[in-house]
Amino acid sequence: MSLPDATSQLASLVARAAHDRGGINPVLVDVTSKLALSDAFVVVSAPTDRQVRAIAEDIMDRIWAEHQRRPTHIEGRAEGTWVLLDYSELLVHVLSEDEREYYALERLWGDCPAVPIGVDTDEARAAAAERAAAHGVEASQ
């Protein structure tokens, strides 16, 4: 079974937001064949607790700005070592590097396809320029 386009697009938006905030190694885990509650997970890590929270906040802001959606549930926001954002069809896990290594979600769901989510640099540059223009700032090249 393949992911619905809407889920793939949401996962790409999550990866771009994470990348822009310094997220490390975003991975998409397709759980459509194993889990009825969700289509996929995005797992991304950050070097500090502060960045974990910043990445999660930016993901929520971007999804709201582009799709007018809020997560149905949020876990770990105060602690900042592992934030879970539940968008029903897509679960977003933003973890500190230590938490990601310890819990190894990609290995836990090892029988499901997991692929790194690359960020198209042209697309990312265009989005950054668009955001900068919206805030009256000239984007750096």
Side-chain angles (χ1 to χ4, degrees), residues 62-121:
R62 299 260 191 106
I63 292 175
W64 175 254
E66 293 191 27
H67 299 280
Q68 289 71 50
R69 290 184 60 190
R70 295 281 184 214
T72 57
H73 191 74
I74 302 170
E75 288 285 333
R77 197 176 196 175
E79 297 82 10
T81 58
W82 181 350
V83 178
L84 169 71
L85 306 173
D86 182 349
Y87 284 97
S88 298
E89 73 277 13
L90 184 70
L91 298 176
V92 180
H93 299 271
V94 184
L95 301 94
S96 69
E97 290 176 301
D98 291 340
E99 295 283 306
R100 187 172 183 179
E101 184 178 326
Y102 182 80
Y103 288 102
L105 294 177
E106 296 97 324
R107 286 193 303 271
L108 181 66
W109 291 91
D111 56 343
C112 296
V115 294
I117 306 173
V119 176
D120 179 356
T121 54

Side-chain angles (χ1 to χ4, degrees), residues 1-12 14 27-44 63 69 84-93 105-106 109 112-115 117:
M1 189 179 264
S2 65
L3 287 177
D5 286 341
T7 304
S8 295
Q9 290 170 359
L10 199 57
S12 293
V14 166
V27 173
L28 177 69
V29 181
D30 180 347
V31 295
T32 52
S33 64
K34 302 289 182 185
L35 190 62
L37 300 174
S38 185
D39 293 335
F41 300 159
V42 171
V43 182
V44 63
I63 292 175
R69 290 184 60 190
L84 169 71
L85 306 173
D86 182 349
Y87 284 97
S88 298
E89 73 277 13
L90 184 70
L91 298 176
V92 180
H93 299 271
L105 294 177
E106 296 97 324
W109 291 91
C112 296
V115 294
I117 306 173

